[in-house]
């Protein structure tokens, strides 16, 4: 499979220049009566020559690759914008078919997306090699960056040639920020350095333990290393094992099992190393580039620069206990009984978060799966006392359920045992909403009706939607020092909303399902929780007034910082500060700036 390592030439030039006075060249286009200036794509005269690609590859030690979708090994050829490429490999195809839903396999690919909707699903594993395979909405080239210089040169090349630039860490992405049609991708997965310290000596007044991690380090990997320290420590991370901690997670905020104790991941950040749009390497902390430091803590992924490393607080390990609750079709097929069980569970969510608990649950037709409810620093006996009122009410109402309770020496042991593997390869649209303490207190019944709408948003979509809930209070023990929406400091339940999209859906079908997500499912959630907000990493990027929903009162300051560090839009991630005047047109392909906004 030598095409995976296709080299493009060698030698010469750093191709890195100053960007302070750079005015981007944009290609004039008209779409649906509106005039645009677009990034440069392969069918434009401004697209770099083969010689130019070869020169930049030489300056990056041969780490520029032609991007091949992970399903291409099952197809005779890839019809790439660069031409037809022979791709069939029987052994690699068998692996792709077997591993398509495996997260770890997916994130190790140079440009793959965890959820595939925004790739356009045009090259997926098959048993028929003659089926067509096209690049879809993937990038054309990928820089498998190994050093700071590779990142600097990749940014400069994209900037100077007006290319759409995608920053891809692990591809743990639900809303299309890790992929983009016709783009140049910089993959940060190789940045794997980790260094722990028992006493942080940097600015900001914090003198406790910390860890500095490269951008490619994933959650389970980091927690495993932290647990191996003497004594063991832990870090605020997401519950999913493959999420890149120093990438989009911290730049979007980052929530997980330790959020009730220490806030969002962004609240624990001490310093970043970052390359900005002008190609400059910068350190950002409370004293140096402090505005950039604040923005990187929850102000939006792939927005202000490319993070190379992050330094985060670590915390002592503690005993922990977990509870599992299931109400599903093995218990009852009576939908009224089932939804009464969901209502009873959620009724106690304020009780749980006020006691410092965290919970992760999945909800779909006749399936409520709560695994786990987590109590860090608590015993099983203490946990049982907290959840017993819920169990008593379930029994009193005649609602059948099953439950398991476990106790562990450390949170890490609980994490490995109780948090389940997640899957890749899903084609779905994603939204979500956070409910505050007040929302739950005043309108729990209305929230459950919104959940019903998520699961069955329309007559022809009965039981098609699903929801992933997270109970935590980010403000229980922590005041915000990050750019995240202040409403998260009164949080009880942040719930992801998802609506599957059939493979091969037409553009009209996709538009219809996006309308369902925005104006039926998410709209029901917002109506039920008027005090809530949305979360940038797991929310609908096409919702109206996304600036307010994602960042609230922090948005104005974030916009100013974006204009300072990237005034010309070198970076783009949908629905992040400063992207109001940019739009992906022509059926999900070209990234363009509206002329009426210039």
């Amino acid at each position: 499979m030598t095409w995976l390592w296709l080299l493009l030439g060698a030698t010469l030039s750093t191709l890195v220049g100053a960007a302070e006075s750079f005015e981007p060249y944009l290609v004039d286009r008209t779409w649906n009566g509106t005039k645009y200036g677009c990034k440069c794509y392969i069918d434009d005269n401004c697209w770099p020559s083969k010689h130019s690609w070869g020169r930049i590859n030489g300056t990056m030690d041969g780490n520029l690759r032609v991007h091949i979708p992970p399903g291409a090994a099952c197809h005779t050829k890839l019809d790439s914008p660069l031409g037809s490429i022979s791709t069939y490999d029987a052994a690699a195809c068998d692996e792709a078919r077997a591993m398509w839903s495996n997260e770890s396999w997916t994130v190790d690919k140079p440009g793959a997306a965890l959820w595939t909707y925004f790739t356009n699903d045009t090259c997926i594993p098959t048993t028929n090699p003659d089926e067509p395979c096209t690049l879809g909405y993937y990038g054309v080239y990928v820089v498998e960056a190994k050093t700071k210089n590779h990142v600097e040169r990749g940014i400069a090349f994209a900037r100077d040639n007006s290319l759409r630039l995608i920053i891809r860490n692990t591809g743990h992405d639900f809303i299309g920020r890790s992929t983009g049609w016709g783009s140049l991708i910089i993959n940060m997965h190789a940045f794997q350095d980790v260094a722990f310290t028992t006493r942080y000596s940097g600015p900001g007044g914090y003198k406790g333990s910390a860890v500095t991690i490269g951008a490619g380090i994933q959650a389970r990997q980091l927690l495993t290393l932290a647990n191996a320290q003497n004594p063991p420590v832990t870090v605020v991370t997401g519950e999913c094992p493959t999420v890149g901690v120093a990438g989009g997670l911290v730049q979007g905020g980052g929530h997980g099992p330790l959020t009730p104790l220490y806030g969002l991941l962004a609240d624990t950040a001490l310093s970043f190393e970052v390359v900005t749009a002008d190609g400059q390497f910068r350190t950002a902390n409370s004293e140096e580039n402090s505005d950039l430091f604040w923005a990187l803590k929850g102000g939006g992924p792939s927005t202000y620069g490319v993070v190379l490393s992050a330094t985060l607080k670590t915390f002592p390990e503690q005993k922990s206990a977990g509870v599992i609750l299931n109400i599903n079709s093995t218990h009852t097929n009576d939908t009224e009984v089932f939804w009464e069980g969901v209502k009873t569970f959620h009724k106690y969510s304020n009780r749980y978060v006020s006691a410092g608990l965290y919970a992760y649950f999945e909800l779909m037709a006749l399936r409520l799966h709560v695994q786990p409810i987590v109590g860090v620093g608590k015993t099983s006996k203490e946990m049982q006392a907290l959840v017993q009122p819920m169990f008593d009410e379930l029994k009193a109402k005649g609602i059948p359920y099953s439950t398991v309770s476990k106790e562990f020496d450390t949170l890490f042991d609980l994490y490995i045992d109780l948090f389940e593997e997640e899957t890749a390869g899903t084609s779905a649209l994603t939204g979500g909403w956070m409910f505050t303490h007040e929302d739950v207190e005043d309108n729990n019944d209305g929230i459950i009706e919104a959940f019903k709408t998520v699961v069955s948003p329309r007559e022809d979509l009965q039981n098609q939607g699903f929801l992933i809930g997270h109970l935590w209070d980010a403000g229980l023990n922590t005041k915000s020092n990050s750019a995240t929406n202040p409403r998260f400091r009164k949080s009880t339940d942040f719930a992801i909303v998802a609506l599957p999209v059939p493979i091969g859906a037409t553009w009209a079908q996709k538009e219809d399902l996006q309308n369902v997500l925005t104006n039926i499912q998410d709209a029901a959630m917002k109506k039920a929780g008027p005090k809530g907000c949305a979360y940038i990493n797991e929310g609908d990027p096409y919702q109206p007034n996304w600036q307010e929903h994602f960042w609230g009162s922090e948005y104005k300051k974030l916009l100013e910082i974006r204009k300072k560090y990237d005034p010309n839009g070198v970076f783009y991630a949908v629905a992040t500060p400063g992207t109001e005047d940019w739009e992906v047109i022509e059926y999900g392909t070209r990234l363009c700036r509206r002329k009426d906004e210039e």
Side-chain angles (χ1 to χ4, degrees):
M1 298 174 67
T2 56
W3 43 264
L4 278 176
W5 301 97
L6 182 61
L7 300 181
L8 301 171
T11 85
L12 299 176
S13 179
T14 63
L15 301 180
V16 177
E20 287 82 355
S21 60
F22 174 76
E23 289 293 333
Y25 173 79
L26 297 176
V27 179
D28 290 338
R29 296 187 79 87
T30 300
W31 177 248
N32 290 336
T34 300
K35 293 182 178 181
Y36 294 89
C38 300
K39 294 283 188 176
C40 190
Y41 291 98
I42 198 166
D43 57 351
D44 295 320
N45 291 332
C46 55
W47 182 259
S49 67
K50 184 177 180 180
H51 178 67
S52 295
W53 286 107
R55 283 195 301 163
I56 191 62
N57 184 44
T59 71
M60 295 190 290
D61 307 311
N63 283 292
L64 181 68
R65 319 289 186 207
V66 172
H67 185 229
I68 307 294
C74 293
H75 299 261
T76 302
K77 62 179 181 177
L78 165 67
D79 290 323
S80 166
L82 298 172
S84 181
I85 302 173
S86 296
T87 54
Y88 184 72
D89 183 312
C93 176
D94 289 344
E95 178 182 283
R97 288 166 55 201
M99 302 297 286
W100 193 249
S101 64
N102 183 282
E103 279 198 343
S104 295
W105 183 86
T106 302
V107 301
D108 283 342
K109 304 304 173 188
L114 196 69
W115 281 21
T116 62
Y117 171 76
F118 287 99
T119 72
N120 209 27
D121 288 311
T122 57
C123 188
I124 61 178
T126 177
T127 57
N128 178 10
D130 293 329
E131 287 186 4
C133 166
T134 65
L135 201 55
Y137 295 161
Y138 277 121
V140 177
Y141 291 104
V142 56
V143 178
E144 295 194 40
K146 306 292 195 303
T147 69
K148 171 173 68 69
N149 286 343
H150 297 163
V151 176
E152 291 171 343
R153 290 164 183 171
I155 292 172
F157 191 74
R159 181 193 68 225
D160 295 346
N161 290 281
S162 232
L163 306 178
R164 181 172 180 183
L165 181 63
I166 296 294
I167 311 305
R168 194 264 189 192
N169 187 5
T170 66
H172 186 101
D173 173 31
F174 303 132
I175 53 181
R177 295 195 177 107
S178 295
T179 190
W181 183 82
S183 62
L184 172 64
I185 305 165
I186 298 180
N187 181 295
M188 300 297 294
H189 201 47
F191 286 71
Q192 293 285 318
D193 289 345
V194 180
F196 288 88
T197 181
T198 58
R199 184 173 174 82
Y200 179 68
S201 59
Y206 176 76
K207 301 300 179 184
S209 60
V211 61
T212 299
I213 61 172
I217 294 293
Q218 298 168 52
R220 182 185 290 172
Q221 178 185 12
L222 177 58
L223 291 173
T224 301
L225 294 169
N227 187 66
Q229 301 304 301
N230 186 17
V233 294
T234 190
V235 187
V236 176
T237 68
E239 50 77 27
C240 180
T242 63
V243 66
V245 180
L249 185 64
V250 67
Q251 293 170 57
H255 60 87
L258 284 172
T259 291
L261 273 68
Y262 307 117
L264 299 170
L265 172 61
D267 297 318
T268 74
L270 298 166
S271 184
F272 295 94
E273 292 181 325
V274 58
V275 180
T276 47
D278 56 3
Q280 297 299 307
F281 171 78
R282 304 174 191 268
T283 297
N285 54 43
S286 61
E287 292 183 1
E288 192 174 355
N289 298 304
S290 59
D291 55 348
L292 179 60
F293 174 57
W294 179 80
L296 289 170
K297 298 189 298 177
S302 298
T303 301
Y304 311 96
V306 179
V307 169
L308 307 180
S309 72
T311 301
L312 311 166
K313 295 178 182 178
T314 62
F315 305 97
E317 265 287 13
Q318 299 184 57
K319 65 184 178 183
S320 299
V323 174
I324 300 170
L325 168 67
N326 284 296
I327 305 174
N328 55 46
S329 58
T330 68
H331 303 105
T332 181
N333 285 307
D334 187 322
T335 56
E336 290 188 10
V337 171
F338 171 78
W339 282 109
E340 189 62 33
V342 175
K343 184 188 300 182
T344 301
F345 158 70
H346 202 266
K347 169 185 174 182
Y348 288 89
S349 55
N350 276 351
R351 171 183 172 88
Y352 298 151
V353 300
S354 65
L357 303 187
Y358 167 96
Y360 177 94
F361 68 93
E362 299 169 350
L363 176 63
M364 55 195 71
L366 284 177
R367 183 177 184 267
L368 172 65
H369 178 54
V370 187
Q371 182 170 340
I373 305 173
V374 178
V376 180
K378 300 190 185 303
T379 64
S380 284
K381 184 177 180 180
E382 291 170 324
M383 285 288 288
Q384 197 63 35
L386 287 167
V387 300
Q388 193 59 47
M390 175 188 68
F391 289 138
D392 290 343
E393 185 167 339
L394 289 172
K395 290 177 182 177
K397 291 179 175 179
I399 299 168
Y401 65 90
S402 59
T403 185
V404 174
S405 179
K406 290 188 174 184
E407 189 172 323
F408 301 88
D409 291 336
T410 65
L411 174 60
F412 178 76
D413 293 333
L414 182 151
Y415 175 81
I416 294 298
D417 187 68
L418 293 187
F419 281 97
E420 299 170 298
E421 294 290 335
E422 298 182 11
T423 60
T426 300
S427 179
L429 291 164
T430 304
W433 195 247
M434 184 275 291
F435 299 103
T436 65
H437 313 324
E438 187 175 348
D439 291 328
V440 175
E441 180 68 27
D442 293 345
N443 193 33
N444 189 60
D445 288 1
I447 292 171
I448 303 308
E449 290 303 311
F451 289 176
K452 292 180 183 179
T453 299
V454 168
V455 173
S456 295
R458 205 168 60 187
E459 188 64 31
D460 61 328
L461 295 170
Q462 292 294 304
N463 299 328
Q464 296 298 302
F466 61 95
L467 183 148
I468 302 171
H470 310 77
L471 305 184
W472 42 259
D473 180 358
L476 183 65
N477 292 297
T478 310
K479 292 182 179 180
S480 176
N481 60 29
S482 63
T484 53
N485 195 318
R487 291 192 175 195
F488 279 122
R489 306 304 155 168
K490 298 179 180 179
S491 54
T492 288
D493 180 8
F494 167 67
I496 301 170
V497 171
L499 183 63
V501 180
I503 301 296
T506 66
W507 187 256
Q509 287 174 308
K510 291 178 178 180
E511 287 188 314
D512 174 57
L513 292 174
Q514 179 65 58
N515 178 65
V516 170
L517 177 79
T518 300
N519 296 313
I520 299 178
Q521 292 175 302
D522 260 18
M525 300 281 278
K526 292 173 181 175
K527 182 178 180 181
K531 303 295 183 180
C533 65
Y535 174 51
I536 183 61
N537 286 345
E538 296 162 330
D540 176 11
Y542 303 108
Q543 63 185 294
N545 197 21
W546 53 263
Q547 298 92 334
E548 173 67 23
H549 293 319
F550 286 138
W551 286 287
S553 58
E554 308 292 9
Y555 187 78
K556 182 179 179 181
K557 182 178 176 182
L558 288 169
L559 182 59
E560 293 172 354
I561 296 170
R562 171 61 183 269
K563 290 179 178 178
K564 174 181 176 180
Y565 287 98
D566 185 18
N568 295 309
V570 173
F571 301 115
Y572 174 83
V574 63
T576 53
T579 60
E580 292 88 344
D581 52 348
W582 290 89
E583 184 180 347
V584 176
I585 65 170
E586 298 182 14
Y587 305 109
T589 58
R590 297 176 192 271
L591 176 63
C592 307
R593 174 179 277 163
R594 289 185 297 276
K595 288 283 191 177
D596 59 359
E597 301 294 340
E598 291 184 346

